[in-house]
């Protein structure tokens, strides 16, 4: 009996802001359409965030730079919005969760206190992860080897007296904070380790640029 035939269609669309379900059912009695949005709205960390459902713990991540990928336990899970913040909804309570960003995805003048942090949220609660630093005593430094060649991107720079590692970007440039009048750094590349010294002086400009630092 064709009068009792039924046709059904269902579609699901998953985004970083939630999951949408759309169901369409057509029968002799008419057409039914059902739509559902499954997600969460979180007011925390000085902002309002839309995300997938928060089952356990979550984190509000502040990078201070938009469009930066954010990873949870080495898995890409979010991207910072226009104000440089993102929500990560999949943290496990009472366990160590490692939240990190890729420094190579940042502009060269970005000023961060770290590129990874370990957090332990309580059940059904959130934590704030703040990567953003300040611009005091910081400079953009250009590093070269003894032959005058720019150091390769991804090299790790460590400033004496500072436990935070810094990463070399393109054109040998690295943003270093916590500088003093006299500074000693060590650099690890893929094939060598070298050291360099340079002076620093504050100026009225927002950014200090130091070129010609030779790493031997």
């Amino acid at each position: 009996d064709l009068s009792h035939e039924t046709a059904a269609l269902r579609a699901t669309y998953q985004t970083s802001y939630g999951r949408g379900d759309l169901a369409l059912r057509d029968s002799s009695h008419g057409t039914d359409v059902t739509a559902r949005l499954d997600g969460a709205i979180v007011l925390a960390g000085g902002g309002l965030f839309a995300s997938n459902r928060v089952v356990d713990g979550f984190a509000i991540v502040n990078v201070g730079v938009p469009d930066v990928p954010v990873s949870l336990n080495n898995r890409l899970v979010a991207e910072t919005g226009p104000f440089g913040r993102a929500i990560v909804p999949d943290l496990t309570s009472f366990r160590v969760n490692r939240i990190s960003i890729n420094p190579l995805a940042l502009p060269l003048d970005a000023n961060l206190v770290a590129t990874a942090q370990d957090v332990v949220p309580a059940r059904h609660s959130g934590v704030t992860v703040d990567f953003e630093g300040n611009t005091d005593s910081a400079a953009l430094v250009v590093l070269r080897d003894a032959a005058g060649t720019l150091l390769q991107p991804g090299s790790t720079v460590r400033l004496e007296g500072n436990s935070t590692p810094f990463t070399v970007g393109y054109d040998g440039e690295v943003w270093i904070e916590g500088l003093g009048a006299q500074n000693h750094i060590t650099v690890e590349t893929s094939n060598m380790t070298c050291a360099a010294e340079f002076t620093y002086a504050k100026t009225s400009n927002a950014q200090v640029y130091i070129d010609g630092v030779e790493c031997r």
Side-chain angles (χ1 to χ4, degrees), residues 102-167:
N102 184 350
L104 297 181
L106 296 166
L108 292 176
D109 60 349
N111 187 26
L112 305 180
V113 297
T115 56
Q117 291 189 36
D118 293 332
V119 295
V120 182
R123 191 177 306 279
H124 300 150
S125 68
V127 294
T128 299
V129 181
D130 196 353
F131 290 116
E132 188 176 17
N134 60 64
T135 58
D136 292 340
S137 304
L140 189 63
V141 181
V142 180
L143 298 175
R144 302 174 184 269
D145 62 18
T149 302
L150 296 170
L151 294 191
Q152 63 195 48
S155 301
T156 300
V157 178
R158 298 185 183 277
L159 173 66
E160 187 176 82
N162 190 332
S163 61
T164 302
F166 306 96
T167 302

Side-chain angles (χ1 to χ4, degrees), residues 187-212:
V187 184
E188 296 179 11
T189 72
S190 61
N191 53 18
M192 71 168 187
T193 299
C194 61
E197 294 184 351
F198 61 92
T199 60
Y200 167 82
K202 291 183 179 181
T203 69
S204 58
N205 297 326
Q207 178 176 298
V208 178
Y209 189 78
I210 304 174
D211 197 357

Side-chain angles (χ1 to χ4, degrees), residues 47-178:
L48 183 66
F49 303 88
S51 78
N52 287 292
R53 177 182 294 184
V54 178
V55 178
D56 197 350
F58 68 91
I60 303 299
V61 179
N62 179 35
V63 181
V65 179
D67 304 321
V68 176
V70 180
S71 296
L72 172 63
N73 299 325
N74 297 318
R75 176 174 58 90
L76 183 63
V77 292
E79 187 175 273
T80 57
F83 299 103
R85 292 177 294 187
I87 182 171
V88 178
D90 300 324
L91 274 64
T92 303
S93 60
F94 305 117
R95 292 183 181 273
V96 175
N97 299 261
R98 188 166 186 81
I99 296 177
S100 61
I101 56 176
N102 184 350
L104 297 181
L106 296 166
L108 292 176
D109 60 349
N111 187 26
L112 305 180
V113 297
T115 56
Q117 291 189 36
D118 293 332
V119 295
V120 182
R123 191 177 306 279
H124 300 150
S125 68
V127 294
T128 299
V129 181
D130 196 353
F131 290 116
E132 188 176 17
N134 60 64
T135 58
D136 292 340
S137 304
L140 189 63
V141 181
V142 180
L143 298 175
R144 302 174 184 269
D145 62 18
T149 302
L150 296 170
L151 294 191
Q152 63 195 48
S155 301
T156 300
V157 178
R158 298 185 183 277
L159 173 66
E160 187 176 82
N162 190 332
S163 61
T164 302
F166 306 96
T167 302
V168 177
Y170 294 105
D171 299 323
E173 296 181 332
V174 55
W175 179 259
I176 304 177
E177 61 180 286

